[in-house]
Structure formats: C-alpha cells, structure tokens
Amino acid sequence: MYQPYLFLLLLLAIGFAAKNQSLIISVIVLLVLKVAGLDAKIFSTLQSKGINWGVTIITIAVLVPIATGQIGFKDLYESLKSPYAWIALASGIIVALLAKNGITLLASDPQITTALVLGTILAVSLFKGVAVGPLIGAGIAWMAMKIVEWVTNSF
C-alpha cells in the first residue's frame, strides 16, 4: 500500500540529489495526483498517451525556430552544403528510428522504464550527463537486445 509512495519519495530524493528538475516535477505531479485520489482516473491515460503527448511537445519546441522565421529554406539549403550537416541528418534519422523502437519496447515491457530511469539518474548524478528522456534510452536498449538475440541465435 505504501510502496508506491516510498518508491516515488526515493525517486524524488534522487532527483534532488541529481538536480534533475524533470524528475522532481514528474514525481511531485504523480504524488499530488495520488494523494488527491485522482490516480485511478488519470494514471492509465498518462501511461497510454503521455509519451505521445511528450513527443508532440518536444516536436513543437523543435519547430519554433521555423515558425518564428529564424530558420528558413535558405538556411536548410546552406546547411546541406556541409558534410557535418549530412552527419547530423543521418544522426537525426537514426535517433528517430531508435526512439520509435523505444516506444514499442516501453509499451511491450513497461518495467524496463525503471531501469532506464535509474540509468539516467546515475548518469546525471555521477557523470554529469544530460537526461534526454526514456525514449532514446529505450531505443538503444531495444537495439542492444536485438543484437544480443541475433548473437545468441547465431551461435
């Protein structure tokens, strides 16, 4: 009965120790919803649609420079003259594909989120990493799992 609260409070403490604002806000929101008794109504919706909402918000943030006119067709054309732009283009494609598979992994194996959050927290707190969210972590985990499956099935 108290385990979810204790787990969330532990994550909150880790969030404060790691100075991870996203984790702190997320845990506080979940605790408030749980204490208010709204968890039964809201948690299933957040779990099923939250990742898509988050991706939409991130996409909006990325597109703001286009909407404000800071980036236009001329900038796109000029950037494609650089070999680094082609590397960035390929990286963007790879990351988007990994994140797509990360969503699949999180949907099919939600408990993997715990390990991803722990890994992110450790990287932020111990190695001064940047928390970029569970999607890319799940995508990389998915890719690593597929490689392990391939290797174990090949030999």
Side-chain angles (χ1 to χ4, degrees):
M1 178 171 155
Y2 294 108
Q3 183 174 331
Y5 290 103
L6 294 174
F7 204 149
L8 287 170
L9 289 172
L10 173 64
L11 288 173
L12 184 62
I14 292 170
F16 277 114
K19 297 177 183 152
N20 184 328
Q21 186 177 15
S22 296
L23 181 61
I24 294 167
I25 292 169
S26 298
V27 171
I28 289 172
V29 166
L30 292 173
L31 282 170
V32 167
L33 290 172
K34 195 152 183 62
V35 169
L38 299 172
D39 53 327
K41 295 178 181 178
I42 296 176
F43 282 4
S44 64
T45 302
L46 285 174
Q47 186 173 358
S48 66
K49 299 189 186 316
I51 290 176
N52 289 328
W53 294 343
V55 169
T56 300
I57 291 170
I58 290 169
T59 303
I60 290 168
V62 169
L63 295 177
V64 165
I66 293 170
T68 62
Q70 290 175 297
I71 297 176
F73 288 112
K74 180 181 177 191
D75 299 300
L76 175 63
Y77 175 74
E78 291 297 321
S79 73
L80 293 178
K81 293 179 181 178
S82 161
Y84 291 134
W86 288 98
I87 293 169
L89 178 68
S91 297
I93 291 169
I94 292 167
V95 167
L97 292 174
L98 284 173
K100 177 189 84 160
N101 291 314
I103 289 174
T104 303
L105 177 63
L106 291 175
S108 66
D109 196 2
Q111 65 267 18
I112 202 83
T113 305
T114 306
L116 288 166
V117 169
L118 179 60
T120 301
I121 291 166
L122 290 173
V124 168
S125 59
L126 300 177
F127 305 111
K128 305 293 184 210
V130 176
V132 293
L135 286 183
I136 191 62
I140 292 168
W142 174 87
M143 185 178 66
M145 290 173 189
K146 292 299 176 186
I147 291 170
V148 168
E149 286 175 15
W150 178 78
V151 169
T152 55
N153 291 334
S154 296
F155 299 104

